[in-house]
Every structure is written in structure tokens, then in C-alpha cells.
Amino acid sequence: MVLKVALIGSGAIGSRVAELLDAGAAPGVELTGVVPHGDAGTGFSFDEALDIADVVVECAGVAAVAEFGPRIVSAGKDLLVTSIGALCDDSLRQTLLDDGPGRTLLTTGALGGLDAITAACAGGTIHSITMESRKLPAALIQSWMDGETKDRILASTQPVELLRGGPADFIKAFPKSTNVVSALALAAGTWDVVEAVLIADPAAKQTSHHVVAETSLGTFNIRVTNEASRGNPASSALVPHAVVRGLRTLANANGSFI
Ligand SMILES: NC(=O)c1ccc[n+]([C@@H]2O[C@H](COP(=O)([O-])OP(=O)(O)OC[C@H]3O[C@@H](n4cnc5c(N)ncnc54)[C@H](O)[C@@H]3O)[C@@H](O)[C@H]2O)c1
């Protein structure tokens, strides 16, 4: 049986996912269409996606998860989320994870090691998770920053710590850098155990995440250094491949790590 997929978002991640699916990177998966942003008139609509697709993949941002996610799961379709930061919202998280009948699936995205943390959560206790993320300063400039703050971050020749906190702190200040923090909290099964530090580092050639998870089943020291996406220096080139890997597993788990 073919797994029919629709995409929401055709930016750096979505367009690469589409390319990979069209090139046959996930046997047993068929891309049925891409929901346009606004009135782009591509001849494919969200309603059609709900009608045709088995899985709708969000590659469009936190707001799109809130806009489309509840309708996808209530229609009994599966939702694959890249903008995991959206699940910081308690009510949206409950709707997407508990209400069904469709399932909400989360991409491993730019991170590795979530499988080990999830297994430790199921079989033991997560004591603490820390994460240090480093990105180029220009990728971390936000619209709420005043001119002086932007200039200081961009002009610094040294790393600048921009935020220290949990998912709820990140989603307010750096929504696009919240996905990995939220993913760790969801893998740990608790919203309070993750403390993340975000650093603007002028020497960062790539985005890096260093996670240390202390659990009753072991300590996981996970260091991921990501190449930037071709289309968006703030996104990682790994993410579309993580999405496609997930779809391939959904369509045909034979030989997959799950
Ligand atoms: N889980 C992870 O590790 C991880 C890593 C990087 C990015 N992300 C998430 O992936 C998302 C996409 O990243 P990107 O680099 O492709 O961003 P991007 O800005 O290049 O592309 C986003 C696309 O979504 C479209 N879009 C926005 N709102 C829409 C809507 N309501 N309907 C239809 N289309 C809509 C935009 O027009 C744009 O084409 C990011 O917002 C981020 O939340 C997750």
C-alpha cells in the first residue's frame, strides 16, 4: 500500500523534502501535493490534502502547526511536525497528542539521540538534560531586539550568551531555535527537565547542539554539528532527510531503526 503524503511549507525544508520524495528517496511514499501559503493558487488546497493524504507534513513554522494541526488529527489523518516548538503550548500539545483520532508524529529533525532519551524515559528516570546550542549571530537576530542589541550581537568577536532556560523561555524569544529544546522535553516526557543555553558564536561554522542527558539508565553525551541548509542558513541540511527517513519508516519499517 502506498503512503500518501501532503506537505505544508515549501521553504528550505519543505522544498527539499518534495525533491527527495519526487526522486523516490522513500519507496512506498507518494507526494500528493504542497499546500500553498495564502492564495498562491497551485491547484492544491488544505482541504484536498485532508481528503487525499494519509500523512500531512508540516514544514511551515510554529503558527502553521496551530493553524492546521488540530484539523488534521481530528480528521483522522497523521500529522508529522517539524516545528516541534509549537508543542510548548499546553492546550495545543494536548489536542495534538491526546485527542486523536489521527496521530501526531515528531521528526528527529536536527538532533540525534532522541531514541535513547525516549527509551530511558520509558524504562527509568531522567534526572537532567542540558543543551548548549551555538549558531552564527546573524541567524539569531530577532524582530523584538532593539538596534543596539542587534549591533552588539553582530559586532561581537566573542561568543555571546543570548538565553538560558527551558522550552517556555525559548518559544517566547527564539521560536525558530525552540524545536530542538521542545524535542528534548518531549523525549524526556517532562517539560521541566531541560535547561538550554543559546549562544551567538561568530566562530560557529555550523550550528551545533551539545546535549548531556543524565538518566538512571546512563548518561548520554550527544554532540551534533549540522551543515546549514542550502535555502536557509538558520535551518539544518539534515532536517529534510530526517523527515524523509521518518516517512520511509512509516511506509515500510523493514530494516529501519525505530
Ligand atoms: N525539528 C527541527 O529540528 C527543526 C530544524 C529546523 C527547522 N525546523 C522547523 O521547520 C520549519 C521550516 O523551516 P524552513 O527552513 O523550511 O523555513 P523557511 O522559512 O525556509 O520555509 C517555511 C515555508 O513555510 C511557508 N509557510 C509559512 N506559513 C505557512 C502556511 N500557513 N501555509 C502554508 N505555507 C506556509 C512559507 O511560505 C515558507 O515557504 C521552521 O519554521 C522550523 O520551525 C525544525
Side-chain angles (χ1 to χ4, degrees):
M1 203 189 86
V2 170
L3 184 77
K4 295 194 169 169
V5 169
L7 294 179
I8 302 176
S10 56
I13 293 173
S15 61
R16 186 75 182 115
V17 169
E19 254 173 44
L20 290 164
L21 294 181
D22 284 343
V29 177
E30 180 192 329
L31 177 60
T32 59
V34 181
V35 177
H37 193 183
D39 239 353
T42 59
F44 191 74
S45 67
F46 176 65
D47 286 339
E48 273 173 280
L50 271 195
D51 204 28
I52 299 173
D54 305 304
V55 185
V56 181
V57 182
E58 170 280 317
C59 309
V62 165
V65 179
E67 183 182 349
F68 298 110
R71 283 189 276 164
I72 294 167
V73 293
S74 71
K77 302 297 175 123
D78 289 344
L79 163 69
L80 174 54
V81 177
T82 66
S83 300
I84 297 174
L87 277 76
C88 284
D89 181 294
D90 292 343
S91 150
L92 182 61
R93 182 166 77 244
Q94 188 183 334
T95 301
L96 296 184
L97 298 185
D98 300 339
D99 288 359
R103 299 175 296 178
T104 294
L105 308 159
L106 310 168
T107 184
T108 52
L111 272 187
L114 292 165
D115 48 354
I117 295 171
T118 309
C121 166
T125 306
I126 310 288
H127 301 309
S128 67
I129 299 181
T130 59
M131 179 173 72
E132 183 186 281
S133 294
R134 285 174 187 263
K135 292 187 183 181
L136 275 175
L140 292 170
I141 296 300
Q142 304 294 310
S143 54
W144 53 261
M145 291 173 172
D146 60 31
E148 197 183 315
T149 307
K150 288 180 187 169
D151 291 346
R152 181 174 57 80
I153 294 168
L154 291 173
S156 178
T157 54
Q158 298 299 315
V160 178
E161 181 178 311
L162 297 183
L163 183 64
R164 184 177 287 265
D169 305 302
F170 272 70
I171 194 69
K172 285 185 219 141
F174 293 94
K176 288 190 177 162
S177 298
T178 308
N179 299 310
V180 285
V181 190
S182 301
L184 288 168
L186 288 160
T190 161
W191 220 242
D192 304 321
V193 80
V194 181
E195 185 179 83
V197 185
L198 182 62
I199 296 173
D201 186 349
K205 293 275 177 285
Q206 299 123 326
T207 293
S208 67
H209 305 295
H210 183 200
V211 177
V212 180
E214 302 277 359
T215 86
S216 61
L217 292 170
T219 298
F220 314 129
N221 199 320
I222 303 152
R223 203 182 275 276
V224 181
T225 303
N226 279 313
E227 293 295 335
S229 145
R230 268 183 288 161
N232 179 354
S235 261
S236 297
L238 183 67
V239 180
H241 297 281
V243 169
V244 170
R245 184 199 65 81
L247 292 171
R248 209 169 51 212
T249 303
L250 276 180
N252 176 10
N254 199 17
S256 301
F257 291 100
I258 58 168

